[in-house]
Amino acid sequence: MITPLLPTYARADIAFERGEGARVYTTDGIEFLDFAAGIAVNSLGHAHPHLVAALTEQAHKLWHVSNAYRIPQQERLAERLAAATFADTMFVTNSGTEAIECAIKMARRYHWAKGNPERYRLVTFEGAFHGRTLAAIAAGGQPKYLEGFGPATEGFDQVGFGDLDAVEAAIGENTAGILIEPIQGEGGLRVLSPAALRRLRAICDERGILMVLDEVQCGVGRTGHLFAHESAGITPDIMAIAKGIGGGFPIGACLATEDAAAGMVVGTHGSTFGGNPLACAVANAVLDIVLGDGFLERVQDIALRLRQGLAGLQDAHPDAIEEIRGEGLMLGIKCTVPNKDVLAALRERHMLAVAAGDNVVRLLPPLIIDETDVADALERLDGAFAAVKAATTGDAA
Ligand SMILES: *Cc1c(COP(=O)(O)O)cnc(C)c1O
């Protein structure tokens, strides 16, 4: 018999009741170290006092009006993100996939507005994940997400991740732009090199097409930069963000330059909930912290500590770990033992992490972790790898 909840998730049999910082507590009071952060969402950990205050203060005033009116919290969020990035303008959404949807529409509409309606296709990359709307699963191109949902939405040409020659070959008279994650999360923590990002930027400029970045997972401080592309010294034309910007409140945005947004005039796009006062009050509070003095430097420092520790972990388990990947606090352990077994062993040791493609264990801790959290995580990872190896060689764990 079907459950009241549509059974689209293979859920672990744990439920959490509350959290504080990088720790969450189950309904029966067991503490877990949270290196999943709701998949890079709880950027400031759980129950951050500044976010709790912003949320409750706004909750007493006004939750929702409509985008038919001015929303000062939304205007403030946009002004601050524009000041901190390449963007001149943005559309505020409720999720990552909606930010991507807006980005795709914007890229197509740009060329339409410039008199080139035939330019509607985007070059995308193998292993990509852009969300679960019909357009986003077509952009991601993963058969397991497309199967059974009818003809894939037209307009995406997929090439190998980072295959610049294939990008050049795929661009034709119908191409509107390139859509890429600077670091693939779900695809296995695959990092596009700064040189490759710069080359993609140059290709877009040479061919008169738009560079669209998906920073839904790697953005908002996760890499130790406000946005991942900054380390390459380039800027995109359009960028989708979500996850970390709400710190746990559902919100996303599609950021753009004035030129790239040229086609998005009154009536071309909308959202009932997108950017309501409650969501924007929380996102502004996230920015208070992330844009605060020294915050990103601290992320870089603690990320380096974790990275060094993971290198040590690999040295200790060369027969189970092939590689450490990623940037900042978006890290992946490429395993030679099954990643699902490692995640189960971690859960037994009361630590949460996330699976990724390519047999990777993904670590996405809150950006506020400290030395104790890192030491704790390394110890639990060491125990988990030892246990998985013992189980696979048939020894008693
Ligand atoms: C999570 C994610 C999305 C989709 O975001 P939702 O909020 O789940 O719709 C899109 N792109 C990337 C890179 C993501 O990690």
Side-chain angles (χ1 to χ4, degrees):
M1 204 174 73
I2 197 164
T3 48
L5 281 179
L6 193 72
T8 58
Y9 280 97
R11 297 172 193 269
D13 187 18
I14 338 174
F16 297 100
E17 187 171 64
R18 67 188 179 88
E20 197 182 331
R23 312 276 159 162
V24 281
Y25 300 85
T26 63
T27 44
D28 33 17
I30 300 166
E31 182 186 287
F32 276 69
L33 177 63
D34 187 4
F35 268 45
I39 315 188
V41 165
N42 302 101
S43 46
L44 302 182
H46 300 277
H48 192 291
H50 187 63
L51 302 199
V52 173
L55 181 79
T56 46
E57 193 191 320
Q58 187 59 44
H60 286 288
K61 290 188 199 159
L62 186 68
W63 294 16
H64 179 84
V65 277
S66 156
N67 284 303
Y69 312 101
R70 288 183 57 187
I71 299 175
Q73 296 83 356
Q74 194 185 122
E75 291 174 8
R76 178 158 181 259
L77 178 67
E79 281 160 14
R80 296 172 82 191
L81 279 171
T85 68
F86 73 97
D88 303 310
T89 187
M90 69 203 61
F91 183 87
V92 185
T93 69
N94 309 290
S95 68
T97 198
E98 288 169 280
I100 287 291
E101 190 79 19
C102 180
I104 294 167
K105 288 176 73 175
M106 187 185 283
R108 291 182 175 191
R109 184 86 183 181
Y110 167 85
H111 291 286
W112 179 88
K114 301 266 168 179
N116 303 305
E118 74 286 357
R119 289 202 175 273
Y120 68 94
R121 306 187 69 84
L122 290 171
V123 178
T124 59
F125 295 84
E126 173 258 315
F129 182 76
H130 300 296
R132 301 293 201 114
T133 59
L134 287 168
I137 56 176
Q142 298 199 40
K144 65 178 175 183
Y145 295 145
L146 285 161
E147 187 183 24
F149 293 117
T153 300
E154 250 286 283
F156 301 97
D157 300 302
Q158 196 157 67
V159 302
F161 186 68
D163 186 343
L164 301 174
D165 293 339
V167 170
E168 298 241 40
I171 296 170
E173 61 189 18
N174 297 129
T175 305
I178 294 171
L179 168 61
I180 192 165
E181 299 153 87
I183 304 173
Q184 284 191 346
E186 155 126 2
L189 275 294
R190 294 196 291 175
V191 181
L192 196 69
S193 73
L197 260 181
R198 283 194 287 273
R199 183 73 201 118
L200 282 180
R201 176 70 269 178
I203 291 170
C204 288
D205 293 340
E206 283 158 20
R207 308 292 287 265
I209 60 172
L210 298 172
M211 180 182 217
V212 185
L213 293 184
D214 180 346
E215 292 224 19
V216 168
Q217 189 166 148
C218 62
V220 196
R222 175 92 1 224
T223 61
H225 301 277
L226 188 57
F227 292 103
H229 67 266
E230 292 173 13
S231 60
I234 55 108
T235 57
D237 301 295
I238 300 173
M239 176 172 76
I241 71 169
K243 294 201 164 95
I245 187 65
F249 203 95
I251 181 168
C254 175
L255 282 63
T257 63
E258 182 169 8
D259 187 43
M264 303 302 283
V265 298
V266 169
T268 52
H269 199 51
S271 169
T272 297
F273 293 123
N276 82 9
L278 203 51
C280 292
V282 179
N284 273 308
V286 169
L287 283 186
D288 291 342
I289 307 283
V290 173
L291 296 176
D293 263 357
F295 183 85
L296 293 173
E297 287 75 9
R298 278 196 298 283
V299 172
Q300 288 171 13
D301 290 347
I302 200 72
L304 186 62
R305 282 286 306 114
L306 179 58
R307 180 101 192 192
Q308 286 166 340
L310 292 175
L313 186 79
Q314 186 187 2
D315 289 343
H317 301 283
D319 43 350
I321 300 175
E322 190 179 309
E323 192 186 9
I324 306 299
R325 301 172 173 177
E327 289 285 330
L329 290 177
M330 184 170 177
L331 294 169
I333 305 170
K334 160 84 171 148
C335 303
T336 49
V337 293
N339 64 345
K340 293 268 155 48
D341 293 356
V342 177
L343 288 165
L346 276 176
R347 229 168 22 240
E348 281 169 24
R349 285 158 185 76
H350 300 161
M351 174 170 160
L352 306 177
V354 190
D358 204 22
N359 201 34
V360 165
V361 169
R362 184 164 29 156
L363 303 179
L364 300 163
L367 307 181
I368 46 86
I369 51 166
D370 60 19
E371 297 273 346
T372 311
D373 299 322
V374 168
D376 217 351
L378 291 169
E379 191 184 313
R380 293 177 205 212
L381 281 162
D382 183 53
F385 275 103
V388 170
K389 285 191 303 186
T392 42
T393 55
D395 299 344

